Amino acid sequence: MDLSMNLPNPLDLLIAPAYAQAAPQGPSLMSTLAFPVILLLIMYFLMIRPQMKRAKEHKAMIEALSVGDEVITNGGIAGTVRAIGDSFINVEISSGVEVRVQKGAVGNVLPKGTLKSA
């Protein structure tokens, strides 16, 4: 006579026995791809699109530069444009003192008369 078949296992009181279950269904392909696509759209509208817009505005500002415009460079130098080349401009920062900077280094174009009032 085999008594081990009828007696419960003492570990069953401490640890619940695991029983086989049906395999769960995974998420559909559509819901799996929807999350990354939504994330990319959010990144595009919050990061990439505004950056492209600022770059386009900066390029238009640089193309519209003319002699006599008052500018501030990205380095903080304020002056008046005296000469414009293909990729460089001459900025007069004081009477008789000119600095040559790249066009891309122009941060802002100031309204006329700003530097004289400062």
Side-chain angles (χ1 to χ4, degrees):
M1 192 160 148
D2 190 14
L3 294 176
S4 65
M5 290 245 183
N6 295 334
L7 296 174
N9 188 349
L11 287 177
D12 286 347
L13 298 173
L14 300 175
I15 303 171
Y19 297 105
Q21 296 178 359
Q25 286 289 346
S28 68
L29 181 64
M30 187 63 133
S31 65
T32 303
L33 291 177
F35 183 70
V37 168
I38 291 171
L39 245 148
L40 287 173
L41 285 173
I42 290 171
M43 282 183 55
Y44 175 77
F45 283 107
L46 292 180
M47 296 173 65
I48 298 169
R49 189 167 178 247
Q51 174 98 16
M52 289 172 40
K53 185 178 177 183
R54 275 192 301 271
K56 186 177 178 182
E57 289 171 355
H58 187 258
K59 184 178 179 184
M61 178 192 64
I62 288 175
E63 289 174 356
L65 278 178
S66 62
V67 175
D69 284 346
E70 296 178 356
V71 297
I72 294 184
T73 66
N74 289 334
I77 298 173
T80 306
V81 176
R82 291 296 173 215
I84 299 176
D86 289 335
S87 57
F88 291 94
I89 62 172
N90 288 354
V91 178
E92 184 180 33
I93 57 176
S94 183
S95 181
V97 180
E98 287 189 10
V99 178
R100 188 172 195 170
V101 296
Q102 288 183 328
K103 280 185 175 181
V106 174
N108 290 323
V109 176
L110 301 173
K112 299 276 185 191
T114 303
L115 294 179
K116 290 180 179 158
S117 65

